[in-house]
Amino acid sequence: LFKKSEWKKAIISFQKYRDENPKGKFFLESTYKMAVSFQELGMKEEAAAFFKEVITTSSNSPEAKKAKQRLKSLKK
């Protein structure tokens, strides 16, 4: 769904994963991709909240680095 740019469906799918797997291997990646999906939909506040969650949860992860870049671009 994410790769197909079906942003709303992707968000629902990622949220379901997050709800069912709070300590799951892909939790951080799901959170990041949810933020990107919100950003693609033009929902900047929601996107920022999830990017910040990624950064707070794991500041040295590859996802956090990408989230920091995306967050900067949101503020422009």
Side-chain angles (χ1 to χ4, degrees):
L1 296 170
F2 185 80
K3 288 181 180 174
K4 293 180 189 174
S5 301
E6 293 185 28
W7 307 120
K8 289 180 182 176
K9 290 179 183 175
I11 290 167
I12 293 165
S13 180
F14 290 131
Q15 186 59 53
K16 185 177 183 208
Y17 174 84
R18 286 167 39 96
D19 290 343
E20 293 173 359
N21 304 280
K23 299 208 184 300
K25 182 177 176 184
F26 301 106
F27 187 87
L28 205 58
E29 183 181 349
S30 295
T31 306
Y32 173 76
K33 286 184 175 179
M34 272 181 77
V36 172
S37 299
F38 277 120
Q39 186 176 19
E40 292 294 331
L41 289 169
M43 301 171 76
K44 291 183 177 183
E45 288 179 24
E46 291 84 350
F50 284 105
F51 285 136
K52 287 175 186 171
E53 182 181 337
V54 170
I55 295 164
T56 306
T57 304
S58 182
S59 61
N60 294 324
S61 68
E63 289 86 358
K65 288 183 175 97
K66 292 187 287 187
K68 287 173 189 171
Q69 294 294 350
R70 290 264 188 172
L71 202 51
K72 281 182 191 171
S73 71
L74 275 180
K75 293 178 180 174
K76 289 180 182 174

